[in-house]
Amino acid sequence: MGIKNYIFASNRGPDFVSNGLSHFAAGGTQDVYRLICKELAKKWVCIAPDKYESDEVISDCSELDVLFVDNDTYFGYYYRFVSEYLYPNILGSKGLYSAASAIKEFDDVSKAVAKKIDNHNGVILCDYHLYKVPKYMRNSNKSHFFWFLPFLNPPKDHPVYNDIVKGLVKVDTLWFLHEDYKNNFVDFAGTIFGYNNLPAVETLTLGPSAFFSENRNISIEDFKKLILKEFKIQHDADCSYLITVARLDFVKKIPLLLKAMSIIEKEHMLNIKLMILAPHHRKNSRFYQQEEAKIQKHLDELERSDQVFLSHKLLSREELVVLYKFADLFILPSTNDAMPLTPLEYVLANKGNGAVVVSDSAGTSKILPDSTYIFKHDNPLSLARKIMDALLATEQGKSDWMAKNKHMVSGITSNSWINQIITALEPCHERIS
């Protein structure tokens, strides 16, 4: 079997336009998916609601095969079951129990994906949305699954994790982003199905695109213009600029960050401005509407509205580099976030005098060589103290911290990740050919 003979399937697809509407992969997965298709796949199968369907799909991916799902089924599958029930439960929260009634729509889409990709020698699946697909595949020779979310350590009778494992044990190879997640899966699934009945389980740590480490002609003037345009902030040379970049998502814990800012503003008189860039990509989900309401409540309670600025804009990568390069501190308060790439993007792009504050339960914290600014998850006081530690650190301390972490992140970019995958799959090529 040749290296380019895999069928690749994911929930979200590449940038494409149909009927004047755009559909694209979210977050850092865009780079990863493109690399998989460039190096390994002869066809990319993704899912979209049928409002996108037309005679022509415009995309720069010529091998794209879109599974168009009728609007009602798609709404039940994606917004109800996945967004409001499955995703929260995977991450240790309580999803809307009523959304579990959309299991039929979820099964229907899973069966449709399985039918589209079955009867191929090699299949690569990404996205937790597809965990049931292997259960419905009958005739594929070798299948491989990337699990990009955390795999926690739930009780053995956890209904959601039990259902997930029933699908994942059907594949030949299963990849996790961190050793802890791999070990949790082996312990959970091995107890239920027997350790000898598990697929090959490996760890492949993912970093950001090397795009963020490329040298660019960016000046402080670019930063001044961007923050004025997107956040309505006039630049002040004596101010410290803090940023967080995360989609509007309960797991990103933006309300926790706002609680920490309340603590800081009560205890310290500092000239700081926090810019929160939180694109809202699930406006049709009640679960996420509730999160937005929480954030607005905390914003209203802040005593100093001149310290926190929120934008729901979706910035380009070039614009993100401008923010990353000149911001003094990056904060990501996520809880149970698998391997958030934005803090790693910041490390690659920053000019060398910044720092990152992350939660001890986010996958990113498990790979940083310097744990100085890692706070205890779900603890606003711990977060506030780490933000202060980073802001008050010496220039030499920040420079040393950044140098260690730049070296580490440079070695785990998405390009090195795809090379590890190619190497890992080489034995499969030999067995199938």
Side-chain angles (χ1 to χ4, degrees), residues 22 44 48 109 189 197 211 242 257 268 291 293 297 366 389 400:
S22 64
W44 182 353
V109 173
N197 297 319
F211 170 90
L242 294 57
L257 174 55
H268 304 275
E291 184 67 12
K297 178 177 180 289
K366 302 176 190 298
D389 288 347
D400 292 345

Side-chain angles (χ1 to χ4, degrees), residues 362-392:
T364 304
S365 69
K366 302 176 190 298
I367 62 171
L368 294 176
D370 188 328
S371 61
T372 303
Y373 306 124
I374 295 173
F375 73 94
K376 184 168 179 54
H377 66 278
D378 287 334
N379 187 323
L381 181 59
S382 176
L383 173 55
R385 285 175 174 165
K386 291 299 180 180
I387 291 172
M388 292 304 305
D389 288 347
L391 288 175
L392 299 176

Side-chain angles (χ1 to χ4, degrees), residues 39-283:
E39 303 293 343
L40 293 167
K42 66 179 180 181
K43 184 167 70 172
W44 182 353
V45 176
C46 65
I47 305 164
D50 65 4
K51 67 181 179 181
Y52 291 91
E53 190 167 13
S54 70
D55 293 333
E56 182 180 13
V57 172
I58 302 170
S59 172
D60 62 358
C61 180
S62 58
E63 295 81 19
L64 186 64
D65 186 357
V66 184
L67 171 64
F68 289 105
V69 179
D70 73 79
N71 287 332
D72 289 342
T73 300
Y74 186 86
F75 186 88
Y77 150 76
Y78 185 73
Y79 290 106
R80 297 284 292 132
F81 189 81
V82 170
S83 295
E84 297 181 358
Y85 178 73
L86 176 63
Y87 181 69
N89 272 284
I90 291 174
L91 298 179
S93 185
K94 288 186 178 180
L96 299 180
Y97 185 73
S98 61
S101 62
I103 184 66
K104 180 184 183 303
E105 288 87 345
F106 184 75
D107 280 351
D108 287 346
V109 173
S110 300
K111 289 173 184 176
V113 174
K115 183 177 180 182
K116 206 173 236 315
I117 68 176
D118 218 350
N119 298 306
H120 291 284
N121 282 341
V123 174
I124 298 172
L125 300 106
C126 280
D127 287 345
Y128 66 97
H129 317 67
L130 305 184
Y131 79 83
K132 264 198 174 178
V133 171
K135 178 180 174 182
Y136 297 121
M137 290 167 54
R138 297 289 180 265
N139 301 309
S140 293
N141 197 314
K142 288 290 176 183
S143 59
H144 314 276
F145 201 112
F146 299 102
W147 185 261
F148 282 153
L149 288 186
F151 196 98
L152 303 182
N153 191 17
K156 295 297 185 286
D157 60 351
H158 194 292
V160 173
Y161 272 83
N162 264 280
D163 200 42
I164 288 169
V165 166
K166 288 176 185 175
L168 296 185
V169 295
K170 301 289 185 183
V171 302
D172 294 280
T173 312
L174 183 58
W175 283 288
F176 291 95
L177 290 173
H178 191 269
E179 196 73 9
D180 285 356
Y181 308 148
K182 182 189 86 168
N183 293 338
N184 287 345
F185 171 83
V186 171
D187 176 60
F188 188 93
T191 302
I192 298 171
F193 294 98
Y195 294 94
N196 294 330
N197 297 319
L198 302 185
V201 189
E202 305 293 342
T203 299
L204 284 175
T205 300
L206 174 63
S209 166
F211 170 90
F212 293 97
S213 63
E214 295 170 6
N215 291 325
R216 288 178 178 78
N217 240 349
I218 300 171
S219 71
I220 189 66
E221 294 304 316
D222 297 308
F223 180 71
K224 292 177 182 179
K225 291 175 185 175
L226 184 64
I227 63 174
L228 180 61
K229 174 188 170 189
E230 300 301 338
F231 298 96
K232 306 297 185 289
I233 297 175
Q234 292 283 354
H235 184 262
D236 177 357
D238 296 322
C239 180
S240 294
Y241 292 92
L242 294 57
I243 60 167
T244 187
V245 180
R247 64 186 180 274
L248 186 61
D249 190 325
F250 77 95
V251 76
K252 302 299 182 183
K253 295 288 182 175
I254 293 174
L256 181 77
L257 174 55
L258 295 176
K259 286 182 184 178
M261 289 300 294
S262 291
I263 294 171
I264 291 170
E265 72 179 8
K266 286 181 173 65
E267 296 184 3
H268 304 275
M269 292 299 296
L270 295 174
N271 187 3
I272 58 176
K273 296 192 186 303
L274 169 64
M275 299 173 287
I276 302 174
L277 191 65
H280 195 342
H281 75 299
R282 284 172 171 157
K283 291 183 179 179

